Amino acid sequence: MNYLIAVLPDRIQAEAAYLALEAEGIQSTILGRGYKTADEFGLVDPKDQAQKQARLMSYWLIPFGFFAGFTFSLITGLDTFAWAGEIGNHVVGGLLGAVGGAMGSVFVGGGVGLLVSGDALPYRNRLDMGKYIVVAQVSEAISRQATRILRKFDPENIQGYADTSGT
């Protein structure tokens, strides 16, 4: 299944586009004030996803970092923190490794998710600006027909997406 997304400046044009698509038997949805929200439709908030990914990665990176730091200190025999004693040096090395693991989970898990947000964020921003989005769920065969219908309403942006989730 493919999706065709058109950003329209006001509610009247969004409703007219929806009705035109419906008249041709094309299933569509309106997103915007008074209609479905981005969350109800399933547009993923990239900040939430980034936080979730960072938290998930921290569950295994922090203990791994502690173990790696402890082991590195044990193997090398460094006496970096004389005040801590022999075992204390290894524990401090483990704690420093855990800090490195936490930084890794934030930068890799969360940082990349915030920087590479995909196309959901611009659509969310347009909804926040008071614009409306018409999403048509089409097969590849009627994608061109739906595009022609939506172009009649002079959308700010029109974009097609292929569902690659395998469902």
Side-chain angles (χ1 to χ4, degrees):
M1 194 54 71
N2 296 327
Y3 294 92
L4 195 59
I5 300 176
V7 178
L8 297 162
D10 58 31
R11 183 179 192 145
I12 294 170
Q13 283 188 324
E15 288 175 351
Y18 174 82
L19 291 173
L21 289 169
E22 189 179 79
E24 295 295 322
I26 300 171
Q27 182 182 0
S28 62
T29 304
I30 299 176
L31 306 180
R33 198 172 313 130
Y35 294 97
K36 279 190 174 181
T37 65
D39 292 329
E40 289 173 341
F41 183 73
L43 282 179
V44 178
D45 187 0
K47 291 178 187 168
D48 288 345
Q49 286 298 103
Q51 288 175 347
K52 195 181 300 180
Q53 184 68 21
R55 194 175 310 115
L56 179 67
M57 290 189 74
S58 72
Y59 290 142
W60 67 274
L61 276 178
I62 292 174
F64 178 77
F66 181 85
F67 177 74
F70 187 91
T71 305
F72 178 78
S73 178
L74 188 65
I75 290 172
T76 59
L78 293 174
D79 191 22
T80 308
F81 307 102
W83 54 266
E86 186 178 346
I87 298 295
N89 265 315
H90 304 317
V91 171
V92 170
L95 291 174
L96 292 174
V99 168
M103 287 180 7
S105 68
V106 168
F107 292 130
V108 174
V112 172
L114 286 174
L115 294 175
V116 183
S117 60
D119 290 334
L121 187 59
Y123 290 127
R124 283 179 165 274
N125 290 341
R126 293 224 172 105
L127 288 172
D128 290 342
M129 291 169 35
K131 311 231 182 230
Y132 290 83
I133 296 176
V134 176
V135 180
Q137 190 173 357
V138 297
S139 66
E140 200 168 322
I142 60 174
S143 178
R144 291 180 196 268
Q145 178 187 5
T147 302
R148 275 194 305 273
I149 293 169
L150 288 173
R151 285 200 192 281
K152 292 177 187 175
F153 297 97
D154 195 30
E156 291 181 13
N157 183 25
I158 190 164
Q159 182 92 28
Y161 294 95
D163 185 9
T164 58
S165 65
T167 57

